Amino acid sequence: MNKKIIHYGLFCLILGLGLSFGHLSAQTKKHYVEKSETVYGIAKKYNTTEGEILRLNPELSKRSLRSGEFINIPQNKSITQTPPRQQVLRHRIKQGETLTSIAKYYGVSIESILKLNPEIDRDHYKANFILLIPDTGKVKDADKVTDSDTDKNATNQEIFITSDHYPAISNQLNQHDTVRVSIALPLKSGSSDRYLHFLEGFLMGLNDLKKQNISVVLHTYHIDGVADTKHLINSGALYGEHLLIGGSDDNEIDLLADFCKEKNINYVVPFSSKISDEATYSTLFKINPLQQTLYPYIAKEFIKRYGNNTIYFVSNRFPDDPLISYLQQALSDANISYRIRDIKTLDNSINNAVVMPCNAKSTTLTELFDRLDAQEISCKVFGYPAWQSFASNLQKRMPKYNTTFYSSFYFPLGTKDANIFLNKFYAWYNHKVTDTYPKYSVLGYDIAKYFIYAIHNGGIYFYKDRAELVSNGLQSDFRFVQPDGTKIHVNANVFFVTPKSDRPALRETIVNAK
């Protein structure tokens, strides 16, 4: 896949969704097209070429410019550069005022106002909305909006908090306000494909939300390492966001988590599971949990389903998975007996039993199925999330033994919803969803729909009523818990998945109550 082409395509797609897009490796910005402007004139203004503008805006090769639209313009600035320390004023829009009159009063351009206030556009804004205005030094202090002016009667309910270098916007919002979102991930060429796939799915989720009249301002930033992360934080670009998603390693995540905790920004960690469940970040949501977090829920459901069966834990030359000792202790605590045997010793005396291999390796599962076939044993098999990523010939053997495995993520291939997503994804991006576990494009889609809908309807403190939130994602039903004595929100969703030979797998959600 040509990442550079995909980046440009994604930018055009975002403009079609009415979203604001931050710095990608393509390094583009928006230009508002005035009446009578031409591609040639715009190219000359920005010291670029007509061909470059047409490449970034392929629709212009089929039609002429339209006044009032935004187009893509290349820029050479990098997020890793230290941003200018721009001072900002606040202005409450009075009844009858226009952006033209406000811009003239402050001696700035309309475009500079729109850049600082992505919630509005040139023709749509309300009286009492508090604008951010670049401070050119032309306005007397007496004319500036004070903190006492920013009362709760303001339409956009913005309260401004000072910082050392940037006046930050608070992220308070009412129901149905525009949701401000930033994604910070490695997106340049050479980075892992999974981040770009995540973004692709995320944009599809935004498109669905747009159909529900949910307005989103999205900024996306390339960060790859501590230096990029610090520059992004220091740039002031994240101030006032309602939701931040990203961080690809522990150091980036720690920096972003500290910032979001200080600024009360909801922070979603979509990939890493290494951050401690004992962390004190009350606004942090960890999508990929430590497996040990799920053990109580798995054990409870395992006992509920199989407690009346004879249970065998079968081993071979490989070390036991940590879940095995937890399950064995849970069974003992429930006064349920179990047995341990080597796979090579299994025979038809275990007919009708439940068999669980002691490790998740594909060679172990193959060895088990071979033994069950050779001894003509009829039993049930229970296992691990990794099994969904095994070769298709091994997966096809699972239904014979009524195999079930647990997982936080499962994309039910063959279902109507899955087919719709796969077809739409291919139509949008001209490539298929990658065959990984989890599927990162679907992860992006589910995260967009869950969190933005939740914030839009419940505000930034939506998680206080998380029991009321309904999650029915394509790949994960997000069910967040706060481990005992902690503040972090951990996704404790667990599916029990049973593959079928003649229809899509049965995916059952386990209620996450210990």
PDB file of all heavy atoms in Angstrom, residues 349-360:
ATOM      1  N   SER A 349     -12.100 -42.458  27.542  1.00  0.00           N
ATOM      2  CA  SER A 349     -12.632 -42.369  28.905  1.00  0.00           C
ATOM      3  C   SER A 349     -13.018 -40.938  29.259  1.00  0.00           C
ATOM      4  O   SER A 349     -13.713 -40.697  30.259  1.00  0.00           O
ATOM      5  CB  SER A 349     -11.605 -42.888  29.914  1.00  0.00           C
ATOM      6  OG  SER A 349     -10.461 -42.039  29.945  1.00  0.00           O
ATOM      7  N   ILE A 350     -12.573 -39.980  28.454  1.00  0.00           N
ATOM      8  CA  ILE A 350     -12.916 -38.577  28.733  1.00  0.00           C
ATOM      9  C   ILE A 350     -14.099 -38.117  27.871  1.00  0.00           C
ATOM     10  O   ILE A 350     -14.364 -36.908  27.793  1.00  0.00           O
ATOM     11  CB  ILE A 350     -11.707 -37.651  28.511  1.00  0.00           C
ATOM     12  CG1 ILE A 350     -11.370 -37.519  27.017  1.00  0.00           C
ATOM     13  CG2 ILE A 350     -10.491 -38.114  29.286  1.00  0.00           C
ATOM     14  CD1 ILE A 350     -10.438 -36.370  26.714  1.00  0.00           C
ATOM     15  N   ASN A 351     -14.812 -39.033  27.247  1.00  0.00           N
ATOM     16  CA  ASN A 351     -15.991 -38.663  26.466  1.00  0.00           C
ATOM     17  C   ASN A 351     -16.930 -37.786  27.289  1.00  0.00           C
ATOM     18  O   ASN A 351     -17.145 -38.018  28.484  1.00  0.00           O
ATOM     19  CB  ASN A 351     -16.742 -39.911  25.993  1.00  0.00           C
ATOM     20  CG  ASN A 351     -16.136 -40.481  24.728  1.00  0.00           C
ATOM     21  OD1 ASN A 351     -15.425 -39.782  23.995  1.00  0.00           O
ATOM     22  ND2 ASN A 351     -16.398 -41.760  24.456  1.00  0.00           N
ATOM     23  N   ASN A 352     -17.465 -36.756  26.612  1.00  0.00           N
ATOM     24  CA  ASN A 352     -18.439 -35.818  27.203  1.00  0.00           C
ATOM     25  C   ASN A 352     -17.821 -34.869  28.233  1.00  0.00           C
ATOM     26  O   ASN A 352     -18.541 -34.121  28.897  1.00  0.00           O
ATOM     27  CB  ASN A 352     -19.612 -36.575  27.853  1.00  0.00           C
ATOM     28  CG  ASN A 352     -20.326 -37.469  26.869  1.00  0.00           C
ATOM     29  OD1 ASN A 352     -20.593 -37.061  25.730  1.00  0.00           O
ATOM     30  ND2 ASN A 352     -20.635 -38.693  27.274  1.00  0.00           N
ATOM     31  N   ALA A 353     -16.508 -34.885  28.362  1.00  0.00           N
ATOM     32  CA  ALA A 353     -15.835 -33.964  29.278  1.00  0.00           C
ATOM     33  C   ALA A 353     -15.573 -32.619  28.592  1.00  0.00           C
ATOM     34  O   ALA A 353     -15.780 -32.452  27.379  1.00  0.00           O
ATOM     35  CB  ALA A 353     -14.526 -34.573  29.755  1.00  0.00           C
ATOM     36  N   VAL A 354     -15.122 -31.670  29.384  1.00  0.00           N
ATOM     37  CA  VAL A 354     -14.645 -30.389  28.863  1.00  0.00           C
ATOM     38  C   VAL A 354     -13.122 -30.399  28.981  1.00  0.00           C
ATOM     39  O   VAL A 354     -12.585 -30.653  30.062  1.00  0.00           O
ATOM     40  CB  VAL A 354     -15.223 -29.207  29.653  1.00  0.00           C
ATOM     41  CG1 VAL A 354     -14.604 -27.891  29.186  1.00  0.00           C
ATOM     42  CG2 VAL A 354     -16.736 -29.161  29.502  1.00  0.00           C
ATOM     43  N   VAL A 355     -12.456 -30.139  27.872  1.00  0.00           N
ATOM     44  CA  VAL A 355     -10.999 -30.225  27.816  1.00  0.00           C
ATOM     45  C   VAL A 355     -10.421 -28.837  27.528  1.00  0.00           C
ATOM     46  O   VAL A 355     -10.841 -28.160  26.584  1.00  0.00           O
ATOM     47  CB  VAL A 355     -10.544 -31.216  26.730  1.00  0.00           C
ATOM     48  CG1 VAL A 355      -9.023 -31.239  26.633  1.00  0.00           C
ATOM     49  CG2 VAL A 355     -11.092 -32.611  27.018  1.00  0.00           C
ATOM     50  N   MET A 356      -9.455 -28.404  28.336  1.00  0.00           N
ATOM     51  CA  MET A 356      -8.784 -27.126  28.105  1.00  0.00           C
ATOM     52  C   MET A 356      -7.283 -27.342  28.049  1.00  0.00           C
ATOM     53  O   MET A 356      -6.670 -27.788  29.020  1.00  0.00           O
ATOM     54  CB  MET A 356      -9.105 -26.121  29.215  1.00  0.00           C
ATOM     55  CG  MET A 356      -8.460 -24.758  28.963  1.00  0.00           C
ATOM     56  SD  MET A 356      -8.978 -23.503  30.148  1.00  0.00           S
ATOM     57  CE  MET A 356      -8.144 -22.053  29.442  1.00  0.00           C
ATOM     58  N   PRO A 357      -6.660 -27.028  26.897  1.00  0.00           N
ATOM     59  CA  PRO A 357      -5.201 -27.098  26.817  1.00  0.00           C
ATOM     60  C   PRO A 357      -4.580 -26.099  27.795  1.00  0.00           C
ATOM     61  O   PRO A 357      -5.141 -25.024  28.035  1.00  0.00           O
ATOM     62  CB  PRO A 357      -4.891 -26.721  25.372  1.00  0.00           C
ATOM     63  CG  PRO A 357      -6.174 -26.849  24.644  1.00  0.00           C
ATOM     64  CD  PRO A 357      -7.257 -26.591  25.628  1.00  0.00           C
ATOM     65  N   CYS A 358      -3.429 -26.414  28.306  1.00  0.00           N
ATOM     66  CA  CYS A 358      -2.786 -25.559  29.308  1.00  0.00           C
ATOM     67  C   CYS A 358      -1.994 -24.409  28.702  1.00  0.00           C
ATOM     68  O   CYS A 358      -1.409 -23.613  29.443  1.00  0.00           O
ATOM     69  CB  CYS A 358      -1.893 -26.399  30.217  1.00  0.00           C
ATOM     70  SG  CYS A 358      -2.829 -27.444  31.355  1.00  0.00           S
ATOM     71  N   ASN A 359      -1.950 -24.303  27.375  1.00  0.00           N
ATOM     72  CA  ASN A 359      -1.310 -23.156  26.734  1.00  0.00           C
ATOM     73  C   ASN A 359      -2.017 -22.861  25.422  1.00  0.00           C
ATOM     74  O   ASN A 359      -2.803 -23.677  24.928  1.00  0.00           O
ATOM     75  CB  ASN A 359       0.181 -23.391  26.520  1.00  0.00           C
ATOM     76  CG  ASN A 359       0.457 -24.550  25.585  1.00  0.00           C
ATOM     77  OD1 ASN A 359       0.321 -24.426  24.365  1.00  0.00           O
ATOM     78  ND2 ASN A 359       0.845 -25.701  26.146  1.00  0.00           N
ATOM     79  N   ALA A 360      -1.745 -21.679  24.864  1.00  0.00           N
ATOM     80  CA  ALA A 360      -2.494 -21.187  23.704  1.00  0.00           C
ATOM     81  C   ALA A 360      -1.804 -21.421  22.368  1.00  0.00           C
ATOM     82  O   ALA A 360      -2.247 -20.907  21.342  1.00  0.00           O
ATOM     83  CB  ALA A 360      -2.756 -19.689  23.872  1.00  0.00           C
TER      84      ALA A 360
END
